[in-house]
Amino acid sequence: MKEKIKELLTNQNLWFFTLITVLFFGILLRMEFAIDSYATLTFSMEELISQFAPLGRFVILWVGGIIHLFNLKSETIYMLSYLVAILCMIISLYKLYQMIKIDVQNPIAKKIIPILILLNAFSIELFLFIEKGVMLFGVCMCVFAASDIKKWLETKKKRYLLTTFIFMLLANFSYQGVVGIFVAISLVYILKYAKNMKQFIVNNVVVALSYGIPAIIDYVLVRLIYSSGRVSGNINLAESVRKVIVNTQDMITSTYGILPKYFLMIAILIVIILLVYAILKQKVERKTKIIDLLKIIYILAGVMVATVAPQLMQNTDAIWFVARSTYTYASLFGILVLYLCMNYKINPISQGIMMVLSIVLLIVQFARFNVILTDRYKVNAMDYEITRKIMQQMDEYEKQTGNQITKVAIYEDNSLQFTYYGIFSTGDTNLKAYYKDWSIQYIIRYYSGKYLELVDQDTNMAQAFKEQDWTSFKEEQVIFEGDTLHICRY
């Protein structure tokens, strides 16, 4: 045991992945909030169950039970979640490195590829929720599942199918938005261990079942026990497909603004060109070249299907493309680089292009992450300042009138903005707490400790608020009347 610990502590590769992970996400050591965090941190156990159980995210409930049992403080919850997320990312990177190191000869490439695949451009959103530890635990389980499915492909020992199933079930119970990464990694090994069409079909069926059965179990459990808006209600297949196509096109070109527009798409196209060039330069039969070209299409299609499949299982109105729920797509560049390094002799020029492109991608990604994370703390600070002023006015009102504020009514003005001026925001990232009506209730609850019942708007007050055009916080944005706080989101 001591030798094993010593080996880990002196493992240079493990320290390398630790350094990279801390470099990208070390800034998050200081507590930060998504607008959901104010709610999650103030939920009772019953509220936690009603929020996450209908989504099939049962691991959060197990963790929540422990948190409530020990009555942990918010700061402690955050720190534990953050440390688990960091640890899971490090373990995932190292596990994937161990998995591919025999297949990739280039010593630099075999270290960069796990980063390109797992610590990809969309991974940032997994770190921006209070449940980040559970989300990254899901990623970790997917990597372990991919490792064991590779062992099954090599040995055909059934025990690896069982462990793959367990890992994937835990991944689905953690966060369904990441489970496609299992498929993305598995694709290259399906091809590697398919010496003929029969093996290819069998490998695909086994991987599909390893991915699908745990997902179906999670889905059925939710359907049987709960009636969630995301998994129940109307599913208009034609409209769902249309929404998925439109959102997929936007995701491919814009990457939600996390990377510069077309940047990732162009990077992927360049790797595809390098692959095509390597295939055409082979001294093999034309039929073999055609099959190899079709394999590229197979990987592209497989990654895209794994990315969007969970969306099609939702209620049509609930389809919502964001970075965390389409995490698998951003791994495509790394998956293609892995496939290229595994299967083809790369000339020095192509190798140079591939390495420079990978490093540039990571540098740009690092720079954009820093912008997003810096703005994260700015949003949190501005949200707190507004809440502090509201709490101050509330205290003064209660002292002067003797009334106790127990209710809150939410309004909106004509210039409602989803974040503050100069802040980078995309999807659910860096929204201000005063953009969503439900989050206002919870941010006040988090900072004041008061649970305010959400009530309907007063018609006259709604009209008065709408006639204003707020550009910054003003006292007139809140009105106290009896036991009710009337507040305008702007």
Side-chain angles (χ1 to χ4, degrees), residues 301-414:
V303 171
M304 294 310 301
V305 169
T307 300
V308 305
Q311 300 287 342
L312 290 170
M313 294 179 69
Q314 299 185 82
N315 170 6
T316 300
D317 292 334
I319 292 175
W320 177 234
F321 273 57
V322 285
R324 66 186 181 278
S325 65
T326 53
Y327 168 70
T328 305
Y329 169 71
S331 72
L332 181 56
F333 177 84
I335 295 293
L336 290 171
V337 171
L338 171 61
Y339 183 71
L340 175 60
C341 292
M342 277 178 59
N343 294 280
Y344 301 100
K345 291 182 179 179
I346 313 171
N347 64 44
I349 295 176
S350 294
Q351 187 166 288
I353 292 172
M354 181 188 71
M355 296 306 298
V356 169
L357 187 60
S358 299
I359 293 170
V360 168
L361 173 59
L362 290 175
I363 290 172
V364 172
Q365 182 179 313
F366 176 76
R368 296 300 283 250
F369 277 21
N370 271 278
V371 170
I372 294 168
L373 297 178
T374 301
D375 283 356
R376 174 61 145 217
Y377 288 104
K378 291 178 182 177
V379 170
N380 290 169
M382 287 185 273
D383 282 342
Y384 170 73
E385 183 60 21
I386 291 171
T387 308
R388 187 189 63 79
K389 289 181 179 180
I390 292 173
M391 289 164 54
Q392 186 178 42
Q393 292 176 65
M394 191 187 307
D395 288 341
E396 291 173 359
Y397 171 79
E398 289 179 338
K399 288 176 182 177
Q400 290 172 4
T401 65
N403 295 327
Q404 291 296 310
I405 296 297
T406 59
K407 300 173 184 177
V408 60
I410 309 296
Y411 307 82
E412 63 183 61
D413 73 355
N414 291 322

Side-chain angles (χ1 to χ4, degrees), residues 284-298:
V284 294
E285 295 180 359
R286 183 180 179 183
K287 179 182 176 181
T288 302
K289 291 181 180 180
I290 293 173
I291 291 173
D292 284 354
L293 291 172
L294 291 174
K295 288 178 180 179
I296 300 175
I297 297 173
Y298 165 78

Side-chain angles (χ1 to χ4, degrees), residues 442-479:
Y442 286 107
I443 191 172
I444 293 174
R445 182 176 175 180
Y446 178 80
Y447 283 117
S448 72
K450 286 190 173 186
Y451 177 79
L452 303 182
E453 179 189 354
L454 188 62
V455 296
D456 293 335
Q457 297 179 355
D458 177 272
T459 305
N460 293 331
M461 209 162 287
Q463 185 60 37
F465 275 130
K466 277 190 174 289
E467 290 174 357
Q468 302 299 324
D469 184 16
W470 314 109
T471 55
S472 62
F473 179 82
K474 298 178 181 178
E475 291 184 0
E476 293 87 350
Q477 282 178 267
V478 293
I479 298 174

Side-chain angles (χ1 to χ4, degrees), residues 125-144:
E125 223 184 36
L126 300 176
F127 278 86
L128 293 180
F129 291 84
I130 191 64
E131 61 269 29
K132 54 176 65 78
V134 175
M135 288 179 161
L136 270 297
F137 175 74
V139 173
C140 193
M141 291 299 95
C142 288
V143 175
F144 274 77

Side-chain angles (χ1 to χ4, degrees), residues 248-255 259-263 265 329:
T248 299
Q249 290 173 340
D250 181 63
M251 173 189 71
I252 291 171
T253 57
S254 72
T255 53
L259 295 176
K261 196 170 185 178
Y262 303 115
F263 186 84
M265 184 183 76
Y329 169 71

Side-chain angles (χ1 to χ4, degrees), residues 69-337:
L69 179 64
F70 290 97
N71 195 27
L72 298 179
K73 294 181 178 180
S74 297
E75 293 80 4
T76 304
I77 295 169
Y78 179 87
M79 185 54 63
L80 289 173
S81 184
Y82 170 75
L83 292 176
V84 170
I86 292 291
L87 185 61
C88 284
M89 177 57 82
I90 294 168
I91 293 171
S92 300
L93 291 169
Y94 183 69
K95 184 70 174 178
L96 186 54
Y97 166 78
Q98 292 288 97
M99 182 178 169
I100 70 170
K101 67 179 183 180
I102 298 174
D103 302 304
V104 179
Q105 301 305 311
N106 187 306
I108 299 175
K110 67 175 66 178
K111 289 184 179 180
I112 291 179
I113 287 171
I115 301 168
L116 296 172
I117 293 175
L118 299 177
L119 206 158
N120 61 50
F122 291 176
S123 66
I124 187 170
E125 223 184 36
L126 300 176
F127 278 86
L128 293 180
F129 291 84
I130 191 64
E131 61 269 29
K132 54 176 65 78
V134 175
M135 288 179 161
L136 270 297
F137 175 74
V139 173
C140 193
M141 291 299 95
C142 288
V143 175
F144 274 77
S147 177
D148 277 10
I149 205 67
K150 180 193 173 188
K151 292 174 184 175
W152 177 82
L153 290 167
E154 291 171 338
T155 66
K156 295 298 187 288
K157 291 181 180 179
K158 293 181 181 179
R159 70 171 183 268
Y160 293 123
L161 294 180
L162 176 61
T163 52
T164 297
F165 168 79
I166 293 171
F167 289 137
M168 287 304 293
L169 196 61
L170 288 171
N172 277 277
F173 285 175
S174 299
Y175 181 58
Q176 299 88 348
V178 302
V179 294
I181 200 72
F182 162 76
V183 176
I185 297 168
S186 299
L187 291 174
V188 293
Y189 289 100
I190 288 174
L191 293 173
K192 178 181 177 180
Y193 293 104
K195 302 304 179 184
N196 52 56
M197 183 55 69
K198 180 182 177 181
Q199 284 185 340
F200 176 72
I201 293 171
V202 170
N203 292 351
N204 274 281
V205 170
V206 170
V207 169
L209 291 175
S210 299
Y211 168 82
I213 292 176
I216 291 170
I217 289 173
D218 189 47
Y219 182 82
V220 169
L221 282 174
V222 171
R223 279 280 191 173
L224 289 175
I225 304 172
Y226 299 98
S227 178
S228 166
R230 290 190 182 180
V231 297
S232 64
N234 295 324
I235 298 179
N236 183 325
L237 185 59
E239 178 61 16
S240 292
V241 171
R242 188 197 68 80
K243 288 183 72 173
V244 165
I245 291 173
V246 170
N247 282 280
T248 299
Q249 290 173 340
D250 181 63
M251 173 189 71
I252 291 171
T253 57
S254 72
T255 53
Y256 310 111
I258 294 173
L259 295 176
K261 196 170 185 178
Y262 303 115
F263 186 84
L264 184 58
M265 184 183 76
I266 292 171
I268 289 170
L269 287 174
I270 292 172
V271 179
I272 292 173
I273 291 169
L274 294 178
L275 265 167
V276 171
Y277 177 77
I279 290 169
L280 297 179
K281 289 293 288 183
Q282 292 181 110
K283 294 180 180 179
V284 294
E285 295 180 359
R286 183 180 179 183
K287 179 182 176 181
T288 302
K289 291 181 180 180
I290 293 173
I291 291 173
D292 284 354
L293 291 172
L294 291 174
K295 288 178 180 179
I296 300 175
I297 297 173
Y298 165 78
I299 291 173
L300 295 173
V303 171
M304 294 310 301
V305 169
T307 300
V308 305
Q311 300 287 342
L312 290 170
M313 294 179 69
Q314 299 185 82
N315 170 6
T316 300
D317 292 334
I319 292 175
W320 177 234
F321 273 57
V322 285
R324 66 186 181 278
S325 65
T326 53
Y327 168 70
T328 305
Y329 169 71
S331 72
L332 181 56
F333 177 84
I335 295 293
L336 290 171
V337 171

